[in-house]
Amino acid sequence: MDVIHFPEDPRPSRWVHPVLALGNFDGLHRGHLKIIERVRRGAAEHGGTPMAMTFDPHPPRVLRPDQAPPLLMTTAQRLEAFERAGVAYPPGEVALLVFKDTRALEVYARDSNADDWRHVTSYGVCGASGKPGPKLAEGDRQVPEGIYGIELLNPASRFHLSLRLDYPNAFDRRMGAADGRVNLGSDIMIHGGAFSVGCLAMGDDVAEDLFILAARTGKENMRVVIAPTDFRQEQPRKIMYEPRWVSMLYANLSEELARFPRMA
């Protein structure tokens, strides 16, 4: 990938017959990807060079600074972080690993499911209510434990910005039905601020970083793994009054976490 800053950098001589996509590409959602794929096909058909041109700073920061979307890292910083990890930005997939006991969130990325996961960065969790163990019911103040997707990005959250998890997932619903539990709770978020009632409060700055990363990667390419502890380092501990199926949940989490190399 060549990154050229216009007008300072000269155009490489190998860029022949450029076919250009022009836009902000903020979030790089499916519509953007279709445009870029069309550019790539057109360039291949005509022996040209596929290119995408974007803007830095983001145009609203120049035209309407008071309404500009939040940005935590500059373009250069994001490119640098992912280049260090050996992953393109935006990556093909992102995984957020959350450990309750250490209040840590680790970011991993890879370009495709054929590649190994690489650690990119880590953050501290500002607020996470409850204790070790899964979420069982609405109002129990527990942060869930399991493997989740992100189903919604909310830029107008009461807690600055938020990423809503798909809790309860299929496993949660299946165990709830087996136990006779009906109201399992909902609206579990990763959000800004420092106050938590069953969610993961990351502080506003980190929430912005994760929000932008999810928008650029695509929420369908994100996964969130929440565990009571890092099972790559120690075996699950017995939790008092735990449901009988927790050992199966923790076995699933241990298997999932084994895919990710521990930080050096």
Side-chain angles (χ1 to χ4, degrees):
M1 177 181 67
D2 293 319
V3 179
I4 302 300
H5 299 86
F6 180 82
E8 296 89 353
D9 298 338
R11 188 184 76 175
S13 59
R14 64 183 177 278
W15 285 9
V16 295
H17 308 302
V19 181
L20 179 69
L22 177 66
N24 289 326
F25 300 110
D26 191 20
L28 205 65
H29 55 62
R30 290 181 180 178
H32 294 151
L33 293 175
K34 287 182 179 179
I35 293 171
I36 292 173
E37 181 57 31
R38 186 178 302 174
V39 165
R40 294 179 62 180
R41 288 201 306 268
E45 291 171 3
H46 297 89
T49 303
M51 300 172 57
M53 179 177 177
T54 188
F55 303 93
D56 185 15
H58 198 285
R61 288 186 171 268
V62 177
L63 302 174
R64 297 179 179 176
D66 58 322
Q67 299 180 26
L71 299 173
L72 178 62
M73 299 175 71
T74 66
T75 301
Q77 288 171 327
R78 285 198 179 85
L79 289 171
E80 181 183 357
F82 280 84
E83 185 176 7
R84 284 198 308 266
V87 182
Y89 183 84
E93 298 178 64
V94 167
L96 308 179
L97 312 186
V98 181
F99 305 113
K100 288 183 174 180
D101 58 348
T102 57
R103 291 203 170 195
L105 184 151
E106 300 177 2
V107 180
Y108 285 78
R110 63 183 180 180
D111 293 327
S112 72
N113 58 16
D115 298 312
D116 294 331
W117 288 102
R118 294 178 179 269
H119 177 257
V120 177
T121 190
S122 299
Y123 301 107
V125 177
C126 295
S129 61
K131 57 187 179 182
K135 183 173 182 64
L136 300 177
E138 178 75 32
D140 65 4
R141 300 177 64 89
Q142 281 289 98
V143 174
E145 293 177 355
I147 304 167
Y148 300 98
I150 293 177
E151 62 180 14
L152 178 70
L153 302 178
N154 182 8
S157 169
R158 291 188 300 123
F159 300 96
H160 193 52
L161 298 168
S162 64
L163 300 77
R164 187 169 75 194
L165 307 187
D166 63 351
Y167 172 88
N169 61 18
F171 181 89
D172 297 319
R173 292 192 298 271
R174 195 163 63 249
M175 296 304 102
D179 293 345
R181 291 178 288 111
V182 178
N183 191 353
L184 306 182
S186 60
D187 290 333
I188 302 300
M189 315 279 183
I190 299 173
H191 59 63
F195 178 72
S196 163
V197 181
C199 297
L200 294 168
M202 301 300 302
D204 290 352
D205 286 349
V206 174
E208 289 176 13
D209 199 21
L210 296 176
F211 185 95
I212 293 168
L213 177 59
R216 290 188 179 279
T217 303
K219 65 181 188 297
E220 66 277 7
N221 298 317
M222 302 280 295
R223 73 180 74 180
V224 182
V225 182
I226 307 177
T229 192
D230 189 346
F231 295 149
R232 296 171 298 182
Q233 301 183 52
E234 60 179 277
Q235 294 299 309
R237 298 176 181 176
K238 179 73 175 178
I239 298 174
M240 191 174 295
Y241 309 121
E242 68 180 19
R244 62 184 182 279
W245 46 262
V246 165
S247 59
M248 179 167 50
L249 170 64
Y250 288 174
N252 293 341
L253 286 172
S254 295
E255 181 179 354
E256 179 69 12
L257 289 171
R259 305 175 192 273
F260 302 90
R262 287 179 55 190
M263 293 185 301

